[in-house]
């Protein structure tokens, strides 16, 4: 979600033409969504299964990115920030749970280091591309790029 932290202030100020209050409310509701996801995580993973829960939240996040651009209103940005916060925490929790269940302790550190390195490289590449192209494509296309990326993860 580092990429969204780059896009959000630009999107709020240029596309929505809103002030810092909408941006701040988006951050607050992102946190509320994250806390709610953490509290609901045990119940929903038992009901849906861990893998289907993770896939559905990746797709929900991609859908939220698309809706953020197609409906550029402040209150929609704030509402969808809640979904993005919940989705981000949910997918992280499921990934960590799956790693703990599937990997042997003796390999855990090496495998986690590899995945974190790959994740950091992907984030750096996306930040570099978005920073380079942001003036020409705009924040809206940046959100579409993130939605496509989240969809491709599936």
């Amino acid at each position: 979600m580092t990429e969204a932290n780059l896009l959000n202030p630009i999107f709020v100020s240029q596309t929505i033409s809103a002030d810092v209050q909408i941006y701040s409310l988006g951050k607050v509701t992102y946190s509320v969504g994250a806390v709610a996801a953490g509290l609901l995580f045990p119940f929903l993973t038992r009901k849906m299964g861990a893998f289907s829960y993770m896939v559905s939240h990746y797709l929900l996040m991609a859908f939220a990115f698309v809706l953020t651009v197609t409906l550029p209103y402040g209150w929609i940005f704030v509402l969808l920030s809640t979904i993005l916060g919940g989705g981000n925490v949910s997918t992280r929790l499921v990934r960590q749970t799956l790693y703990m269940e599937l990997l042997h302790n003796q390999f855990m550190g090496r495998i986690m280091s590899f995945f974190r390195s790959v994740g950091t490289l992907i984030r750096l590449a996306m930040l570099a591309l978005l920073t380079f192209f942001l003036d020409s494509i705009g924040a809206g296309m940046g959100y579409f790029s993130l939605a496509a990326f989240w969809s491709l993860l599936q």
Side-chain angles (χ1 to χ4, degrees):
M1 295 306 293
T2 304
E3 302 82 10
N5 289 333
L6 170 70
L7 295 172
N8 285 346
I10 298 167
F11 183 77
V12 168
S13 68
Q14 292 179 358
T15 305
I16 299 176
S17 299
D19 58 2
V20 72
Q21 291 172 337
I22 294 296
Y23 178 72
S24 300
L25 279 173
K27 286 292 191 184
V28 168
T29 57
Y30 183 94
S31 302
V32 169
V35 169
L39 293 173
L40 294 173
F41 174 75
F43 306 110
L44 293 175
T45 52
R46 268 188 252 129
K47 184 174 182 174
M48 295 177 66
F51 187 74
S52 61
Y53 182 73
M54 183 174 63
V55 170
S56 67
H57 277 82
Y58 272 123
L59 294 175
L60 183 65
M61 288 172 63
F63 186 65
F65 280 130
V66 170
L67 280 180
T68 300
V69 177
T70 56
L71 302 170
Y73 301 106
W75 64 274
I76 297 225
F77 174 80
V78 170
L79 176 68
L80 294 176
S81 293
T82 308
I83 294 170
L84 291 173
N88 186 28
V89 167
S90 296
T91 55
R92 285 178 185 241
L93 286 172
V94 171
R95 272 196 328 255
Q96 294 299 325
T97 303
L98 288 175
Y99 291 156
M100 295 292 188
E101 290 175 356
L102 299 174
L103 301 176
H104 294 287
N105 288 340
Q106 61 191 8
F107 301 117
M108 180 72 72
R110 289 176 235 155
I111 293 172
M112 292 299 294
S113 295
F114 172 76
F115 282 130
R116 287 186 186 187
S117 299
V118 169
T120 300
L121 287 173
I122 290 170
R123 273 194 304 279
L124 286 172
M126 289 190 73
L127 282 173
L129 287 172
L130 288 174
T131 302
F132 184 70
F133 289 116
L134 198 57
D135 287 336
S136 60
I137 65 172
M141 286 304 292
Y143 280 118
F144 282 138
S145 302
L146 288 178
F149 176 73
W150 285 115
S151 298
L152 289 176
L153 284 178
Q154 305 315 308

